Amino acid sequence: QLISDGSVVYAEALWDHVTMDDQELGFKAGDVIEVMDATNKEWWWGRILDSEGWFPASFVRLRVNQDEPMEDYPLKVDGGKEDDSSSGTRRFGMGQTTKDQMRTNVINEIISTERDYIKHLKDICEGYIKQCRKRADMFTEEQLKTIFGNIEDIYRCQKKFVKALEKKFNKDHPHLSEVGSCFLEYQTEFQIYSEYCNNHPNACMELSRLTKVNKYVYFFEACRLLQKMIDISLDGFLLTPVQKICKYPLQLAELLKYTNPQHRDFKDVEAALNAMKNVARLINERKRRLENIDKIAQWQSSIEDWEGEDVLVRSSELIYSGELTKISHPQAKSQQRMFFLFDHQLVCCKKDLLRRDILYYKSRINVDDMEIVDVEDGKDKDFNISVKNAFKLYCRDTEEVHLFCAKKPEQKQRWLKAFENERRQVQLDQETGFSITEVQKKQAMLNASKQHHSGKPKAVTRPYYDFLMRQKHPTLPTTLPQQQVFMLAEPKRKPSNFWQNISRLTPFRK
């Protein structure tokens, strides 16, 4: 409507849009796009500097303040250099009143979207879950847990949160509202989104399976109509919490931009933005860890003569791996071994003499009971031998000692750092309550077993991608990879070290 009225409409990119099509417009997260045609709901026509093209509407969000001055975004002049002139400031007159109005717009958006979100959650809980529980002939409690996850917990949390927001909302002067403290108060409770986001792929696959049967299609549609919900399929509604946790850092960043440092809410908004980014990072990290357990299970299935409990019983992260010389009592016998440091345990394997790509399980060490000791080059008193590039694992309770030697000093330092990282990871998991369910562990081992016997990679996540491609929710890009959906706070994420560590290991070579 704004475009048809002749107004200039701007949108901000949520994700990178990489394209090889001349007719499409490429951009990076955070870029500002001038929207020129929005008649199509899914694809808009826009312009950035001299480039024009189509782009997915769901990759962007319209700026709350369309009359916002553009000096926040570098202007380009002839020669491609940035224009540092203050013409934007003079033209728009960036006075206090204007900034107050823009802060009002952002506050109003936060409050209104929160109220809409609460209605979405209520509709799901009362319109779907309540009706599903009446049909024990169609749904088991386990199925409902898979489909809806912990959305009822999220609903209870959000009801309290929106009440807290409304108490801080100044109806007469919205720009004076102090909402930052609300986000700080609920930052810990928002971590429940982690469980929901991690379960979401399972929910999509279960829904995909059920909706192949007509009676479930009709049932879900009847639930929607009875609750008088908008024409979006259930999977679209279930995506809303994932998108909501994505949006909080964006809204707070925008709010901070229009909050004067002298404003009573400034420090709280600044702290809230960092807090919500941390919540998003935590959710991302938990998702990455859950994805890693499949890789760990595949690794274990490639090890010959495995004994004892599965790695996943206690661990969910490969911290470091490499070759070390292990020296054992009583004759100070030295053995060249491959070691894999996971959280809570160090696994020792032996290479096959002829087939160097085969590893045999030999032993493991519980590092929870161990203390890492740096050993100086020279004669070691415990083993009565000369050592170089050495370190020990020492247990005070049992006086158990393990001596290891690296080939080079830098390799030793990397191992010492790895053990520090392992302890830090364990402590962080305890603080944040991260854990993997027994069902997830068993499923990962089952998938690895099937893949190992078939000898072919098993694309376990493909049904989820296919399901997303078919879903009708208008705000999720149909071409967006799953991993980008969960890049909640920052579109660019530092890649995991997991494959860098594990890809060097010979068992994975085909």
Side-chain angles (χ1 to χ4, degrees):
Q1 186 178 356
L2 286 170
I3 295 170
S4 61
D5 290 342
S7 301
V8 178
V9 176
Y10 292 103
E12 294 178 6
L14 299 178
W15 294 291
D16 295 353
H17 181 229
V18 181
T19 176
M20 298 177 68
D21 191 328
D22 293 339
Q23 290 292 308
E24 292 186 23
L25 181 68
F27 48 74
K28 292 186 176 294
D31 284 353
V32 178
I33 303 128
E34 181 184 346
V35 183
M36 305 170 70
D37 184 352
T39 51
N40 186 298
K41 289 184 179 180
E42 294 185 0
W43 287 86
W44 292 352
W45 184 269
R47 175 169 57 199
I48 300 178
L49 300 178
D50 298 329
S51 302
E52 292 187 16
W54 296 104
F55 62 92
S58 45
F59 271 51
V60 304
R61 69 191 290 260
L62 290 176
R63 279 182 11 197
V64 177
N65 296 299
Q66 287 296 327
D67 54 346
E68 174 189 0
M70 283 296 290
E71 76 272 4
D72 289 326
Y73 304 94
L75 302 175
K76 300 289 182 179
V77 294
D78 292 340
K81 295 181 179 179
E82 293 183 2
D83 183 6
D84 296 328
S85 71
S86 58
S87 59
T89 305
R90 294 196 302 269
R91 178 178 167 189
F92 290 95
M94 191 57 175
Q96 181 66 39
T97 305
T98 306
K99 198 162 188 176
D100 287 348
Q101 180 56 51
M102 292 183 173
R103 191 174 199 274
T104 293
N105 294 346
V106 180
I107 290 286
N108 285 336
E109 188 207 39
I110 290 174
I111 298 294
S112 65
T113 55
E114 204 62 37
R115 288 169 178 163
D116 290 342
Y117 180 48
I118 285 293
K119 185 179 184 307
H120 276 297
L121 295 176
K122 180 181 178 182
D123 285 343
I124 293 169
C125 293
E126 296 185 2
Y128 284 99
I129 300 178
K130 193 174 179 181
Q131 298 299 330
C132 289
R133 286 200 173 117
K134 293 178 182 178
R135 297 300 304 268
D137 59 316
M138 292 178 67
F139 302 96
T140 65
E141 269 303 317
E142 186 177 348
Q143 277 181 308
L144 295 182
K145 180 67 177 174
T146 300
I147 295 170
F148 297 102
N150 63 333
I151 201 166
E152 290 175 303
D153 295 334
I154 290 174
Y155 180 37
R156 283 189 285 271
C157 171
Q158 293 295 148
K159 280 196 292 187
K160 292 187 292 182
F161 177 66
V162 77
K163 284 180 181 178
L165 275 180
E166 287 174 339
K167 283 183 181 178
K168 296 288 187 178
F169 180 53
N170 188 325
K171 294 180 181 178
D172 298 325
H173 305 287
H175 69 281
L176 296 178
S177 301
E178 300 174 30
V179 299
S181 59
C182 299
F183 288 92
L184 292 174
E185 182 183 350
Y186 282 85
Q187 60 177 308
T188 303
E189 292 193 46
F190 282 141
Q191 292 180 13
I192 62 174
Y193 278 85
S194 176
E195 180 183 337
Y196 187 87
C197 292
N198 290 332
N199 178 70
H200 187 252
N202 299 329
C204 290
M205 285 188 281
E206 180 64 17
L207 270 180
S208 179
R209 189 182 68 81
L210 291 179
T211 50
K212 290 176 182 176
V213 182
N214 284 336
K215 72 173 182 178
Y216 288 99
V217 176
Y218 298 144
F219 177 81
F220 289 139
E221 180 63 6
C223 290
R224 184 186 71 80
L225 293 172
L226 192 64
Q227 192 68 17
K228 298 179 180 178
M229 299 164 74
I230 59 175
D231 188 12
I232 296 176
S233 57
L234 175 56
D235 52 283
F237 284 110
L238 293 178
L239 188 64
T240 309
V242 178
Q243 294 175 317
K244 187 63 180 176
I245 205 69
C246 293
K247 199 172 183 181
Y248 281 138
L250 298 170
Q251 288 179 324
L252 287 168
E254 199 161 17
L255 182 61
L256 185 63
K257 187 161 63 174
Y258 301 116
T259 304
N260 286 317
Q262 295 78 25
H263 197 294
R264 290 172 59 178
D265 200 25
F266 182 82
K267 288 185 178 179
D268 280 349
V269 172
E270 191 174 42
L273 174 58
N274 291 327
M276 294 311 296
K277 282 184 176 180
N278 286 335
V279 169
R281 288 192 192 102
L282 174 65
I283 294 172
N284 273 332
E285 175 65 13
R286 287 184 173 185
K287 176 155 186 64
R288 183 189 66 80
R289 293 280 292 280
L290 284 174
E291 290 170 348
N292 277 349
I293 67 172
D294 281 321
K295 300 169 188 174
I296 293 173
Q298 291 166 17
W299 170 82
Q300 182 184 315
S301 70
S302 71
I303 305 297
E304 301 291 336
D305 299 340
W306 187 270
E307 293 180 8
E309 65 184 18
D310 295 332
V311 177
L312 292 178
V313 170
R314 305 191 63 229
S315 305
S316 61
E317 177 91 344
L318 174 65
I319 308 294
Y320 193 67
S321 63
E323 278 192 280
L324 290 169
T325 299
K326 183 177 185 294
I327 300 173
S328 307
H329 278 311
Q331 291 89 18
K333 181 182 178 183
S334 65
Q335 298 170 319
Q336 193 79 4
R337 295 287 185 259
M338 282 293 301
F339 288 91
F340 302 85
L341 177 60
F342 296 89
D343 52 314
H344 300 288
Q345 59 186 314
L346 179 69
V347 178
C348 172
C349 296
K350 177 185 177 182
K351 286 185 178 180
D352 187 270
L353 292 175
L354 299 177
R355 290 279 308 275
R356 305 297 283 177
D357 59 333
I358 295 178
L359 289 179
Y360 297 90
Y361 173 84
K362 301 305 293 182
S363 63
R364 76 181 87 192
I365 298 171
N366 178 6
V367 295
D368 289 342
D369 301 328
M370 294 291 173
E371 177 185 346
I372 186 79
V373 179
D374 189 356
V375 178
E376 293 183 2
D377 291 351
K379 192 164 186 177
D380 179 74
K381 60 180 182 179
D382 290 327
F383 288 80
N384 198 32
I385 58 170
S386 294
V387 295
K388 193 174 182 181
N389 306 322
F391 62 89
K392 290 178 184 175
L393 288 177
Y394 172 68
C395 181
R396 294 186 183 277
D397 294 336
T398 63
E399 296 187 351
E400 179 184 1
V401 182
H402 301 274
L403 178 63
F404 304 90
C405 293
K407 290 182 179 179
K408 298 178 181 179
E410 54 267 28
Q411 290 176 343
K412 169 186 169 179
Q413 292 305 316
R414 282 197 286 268
W415 274 104
L416 293 176
K417 184 68 176 176
F419 279 101
E420 286 181 22
N421 293 339
E422 185 273 338
R423 286 294 88 189
R424 193 179 299 115
Q425 183 71 67
V426 169
Q427 183 179 354
L428 182 63
D429 288 347
Q430 291 174 345
E431 291 172 355
T432 58
F434 175 81
S435 63
I436 297 171
T437 66
E438 291 301 318
V439 172
Q440 290 167 329
K441 294 174 185 176
K442 289 177 181 177
Q443 187 61 50
M445 293 307 299
L446 181 63
N447 292 341
S449 176
K450 289 179 180 178
Q451 181 173 333
H452 184 63
H453 290 308
S454 67
K456 296 179 181 179
K458 183 176 175 60
V460 293
T461 57
R462 187 66 212 176
Y464 175 59
Y465 288 120
D466 293 341
F467 191 75
L468 284 183
M469 294 294 284
R470 292 196 303 272
Q471 61 85 32
K472 298 187 293 184
H473 194 280
T475 56
L476 178 76
T478 54
T479 56
L480 188 64
Q482 176 193 352
Q483 63 268 29
Q484 283 195 1
V485 175
F486 294 95
M487 288 183 181
L488 306 178
E490 299 173 1
K492 289 187 177 180
R493 180 178 63 180
K494 186 178 179 181
S496 164
N497 291 328
F498 186 90
W499 278 116
Q500 294 177 10
N501 292 337
I502 215 163
S503 63
R504 293 196 299 267
L505 309 181
T506 50
F508 283 83
R509 292 177 185 167
K510 298 296 181 185

